[in-house]
Amino acid sequence: MVDRENSGLSELRRGVLVLAVLSRLRTPQYGYSLRQALAEGGMPIEEGTLYPLLRRLESQGLLSSEWNTEQTPRRYYRLNAEGERTLAALTEAWRDQVRVMDGLLDGRRR
Amino acid sequence: MNAHEVIDAYVRDVARCLPRSRREDVALELRSLLADELAAKTRAVGATADPGTVMALLRSFGRPAEVAARYHQRPALIEPAYSHHFMIWSMAGAITASVLAALDPTKAIDRGEFFLKWLGMLVVAFALFGWWRRHNPTALPWKPRHGPERMPRWTAGLAFAATLALPVFMYAAPMTFTHTASFGRLPVAGLELTEAFRTGWLRATTLALFALLALMYATILVQGQRRAWIGWMSAALHGALGLLMVAHTLPAAGPAARVFASAEADAVAAPIFRAVGALLILGALYDVYREWMRITPAPR
C-alpha cells in the first residue's frame, strides 16, 4: 500500500518537475544550488534526475547557461525569453489543472 | 584511489557513453556537480571526503550508462513497442529451423546456424524499421484488419475448388492429372504407381484427409466464416497431412511408401514430398498460433 502511494506520488511529482525547475530559474542557479532551492521549497529532486533535466531544457531552448570560473568553476542556468513564455503558459495550465482536480475530488466527496 | 580519482573515473565512464561532441562539456559539468554534492555531504557529517562516501554518492546517482542515457537518450535497436513482435518472429524462426532440420535427410541444415542467421536478419530488419519509423512517424498509419474468423465466401470457394483440383486430383490420379494439365504434351508413363502404394494405407489415409480438407472449405463456404473449431480442424488436418507427406519418403513406412514404379520418379518426388510436408506442418503451426491468439473483443 505504501509502495503504491509512493509510486503514485513519484508519478505526480514527475509531471510537475519541469514547472518546478523553471519556476526557480528566474535568477541564475548552478545545479547544486538549484537542487537546494527546490528542496527548501518542498520539492526534493534526485541529483541524477535534475542535472540531465537542465541540459534537456537548455537543448529545448528554454534555458541559457554560462560557465562562471571566478571561484569554483560552475555552470549557471537561467530562463531565457522562450523559457519565460513557457513558464507563464505552464503556470496557467497548472492552475487550470488544480481547479479541474479540485472539482473532481470535491465531486467524489459529495 | 582517492575521492576525486573515484569521481573522475565515474565521470569518464558516463562521458564515454555520450556522443563525442558532448563528452567534454558534460564531463566538466558533471565533475563540478559531483564535487558540490560531495562537499555538501561531508559538511553535513563533519568528515573529510573518502572513497566510501563518494561511492555512496555515486550509487545514488546511478550506473554510468543509465546516467548517460538521461543526458542523451539513444534510440533502441529494437524499439520496446516492437519487442513482442521481435519475440514472435524469433520463435517462428526457431520453429522453422527445427522443422526444416528435422526433415532434411542430408543433415545439411544446421539448426543453430539457421537460427542465428535468422536472428541477425531480424535485428537488422527491426533496427532499419525503427530508424525509418523515427524519420517518418506519420507513415504507414494503422488500418483495421479482419480477425481470423473472416474468410470471404469467394476465398473459401476458391480454396475448395483448388483443393479438389490440385491435391485430390493430382494425388489420386497423377497420370491423368499430368496428361490433362499438360494437354497431353508430357510423358506420364513414369508416374505409374506401385501396387503396394495404390492399395496401401498411406494413400487411402492421405486421400481421406485431403477430402476432409476440401469438406472443411465447403463448410466455410456454406457458413460464410471460419469459426474457432474450423481453425483447430485446419491445424489438425494440415499437421496430419504434413506428417503423411513426410512418411511418403520414409523407408520405415514400408512398401506402401514406395510411391512410383519408376525409381527415378521416386527420387525426384521424395524432396518434393518433404518440402510439401514441411510447408504443411509449418502451416499447421501457424493455424495453432492464430487460434491460440484469437481474440473476440465483442461479446458472444
Side-chain angles (χ1 to χ4, degrees):
Chain A
M1 191 64 180
V2 173
D3 277 353
R4 200 176 304 161
E5 281 171 14
N6 285 342
S7 155
L9 187 60
S10 298
E11 285 288 318
L12 273 178
R13 288 157 61 90
R14 199 171 303 140
V16 295
L17 209 55
V18 169
L19 181 55
V21 168
L22 293 181
S23 74
R24 296 291 94 180
L25 287 174
R26 289 194 180 97
T27 54
Q29 303 265 17
Y30 62 93
Y32 183 72
S33 70
L34 174 61
R35 200 159 88 80
Q36 289 297 101
L38 288 164
E40 282 162 14
M43 177 69 80
I45 300 177
E46 284 178 10
E47 56 271 45
T49 304
L50 176 63
Y51 302 150
L53 174 63
L54 288 171
R55 303 296 293 245
R56 275 211 304 280
L57 294 175
E58 187 188 24
S59 69
Q60 287 167 12
L62 305 181
L63 303 180
S64 303
S65 74
E66 59 182 351
W67 279 94
N68 182 334
T69 53
E70 282 170 19
Q71 295 172 328
T72 307
R74 285 180 177 125
R75 188 177 202 136
Y76 281 76
Y77 293 87
R78 64 170 300 156
L79 286 182
N80 58 21
E82 185 57 34
E84 293 277 5
R85 271 193 294 276
T86 305
L87 174 59
L90 285 179
T91 304
E92 195 178 328
W94 166 253
R95 294 201 166 118
D96 281 347
Q97 284 300 308
V98 169
R99 273 195 295 278
V100 168
M101 285 309 300
D102 279 347
L104 290 174
L105 295 171
D106 288 348
R108 192 188 63 180
R109 270 204 293 274
R110 280 199 295 273
Chain B
M1 269 188 167
N2 63 34
H4 289 289
E5 285 172 334
V6 174
I7 287 183
D8 284 350
Y10 183 82
V11 168
R12 265 199 308 274
D13 280 355
V14 172
R16 270 195 198 108
C17 302
L18 294 168
R20 178 173 284 275
S21 61
R22 298 185 60 187
R23 283 179 194 163
E24 292 290 337
D25 192 34
V26 170
L28 197 59
E29 186 184 17
L30 186 57
R31 190 177 187 283
S32 146
L33 292 167
L34 289 170
D36 280 337
E37 292 283 347
L38 183 62
K41 262 195 197 307
T42 50
R43 259 200 317 275
V45 295
T48 53
D50 59 78
T53 315
V54 182
M55 286 304 291
L57 168 70
L58 298 178
R59 266 195 293 274
S60 71
F61 218 78
R63 294 181 69 83
E66 291 160 9
V67 174
R70 289 184 212 132
Y71 276 100
H72 180 83
Q73 188 82 51
R74 290 186 189 273
L77 268 183
I78 295 158
E79 300 280 347
Y82 293 98
S83 57
H84 175 73
H85 297 77
F86 181 82
M87 287 300 296
I88 296 287
W89 281 101
S90 300
M91 283 166 63
I95 291 169
T96 305
S98 299
V99 170
L100 293 183
L103 297 183
D104 174 24
T106 63
K107 301 297 170 204
I109 297 175
D110 182 320
R111 190 171 42 184
E113 186 187 329
F114 182 104
F115 181 59
L116 284 177
K117 283 180 180 168
W118 174 249
L119 271 188
M121 285 191 296
L122 277 187
V123 169
V124 171
F126 273 73
L128 286 174
F129 178 70
W131 177 86
W132 184 79
R133 286 283 299 154
R134 284 192 294 279
H135 289 80
N136 303 279
T138 55
L140 285 184
W142 176 84
K143 285 181 183 162
R145 284 185 303 170
H146 289 289
E149 71 286 350
R150 164 86 171 178
M151 189 166 187
R153 283 201 159 90
W154 70 267
T155 315
L158 197 64
F160 173 67
T163 307
L164 283 182
L166 283 171
V168 175
F169 184 20
M170 185 165 61
Y171 188 84
M175 293 173 78
T176 316
F177 174 83
T178 308
H179 182 78
T180 310
S182 68
F183 300 105
R185 288 181 193 153
L186 285 178
V188 294
L191 297 175
E192 191 181 341
L193 302 175
T194 62
E195 181 63 20
F197 177 74
R198 204 166 52 76
T199 57
W201 65 271
L202 190 56
R203 183 165 176 265
T205 313
T206 306
L207 268 176
L209 290 185
F210 272 134
L212 269 177
L213 196 64
L215 188 63
M216 183 189 83
Y217 287 123
T219 309
I220 300 172
L221 179 64
V222 172
Q223 291 188 338
Q225 60 177 323
R226 190 176 181 274
R227 296 197 172 149
W229 69 267
I230 288 186
W232 289 113
M233 184 181 171
S234 171
L237 283 176
H238 282 105
L241 278 166
L243 292 174
L244 285 176
M245 285 291 132
V246 176
H248 283 67
T249 66
L250 297 178
R258 171 84 194 274
V259 180
F260 296 108
S262 153
E264 288 80 7
D266 240 14
V268 170
I272 296 172
F273 276 124
R274 269 193 297 271
V276 172
L279 282 176
L280 286 168
I281 290 169
L282 290 174
L285 291 171
Y286 178 65
D287 277 336
V288 169
Y289 169 74
R290 285 219 311 175
E291 291 311 317
W292 181 57
M293 291 291 289
R294 184 186 277 255
I295 297 164
T296 313
R300 290 166 199 272

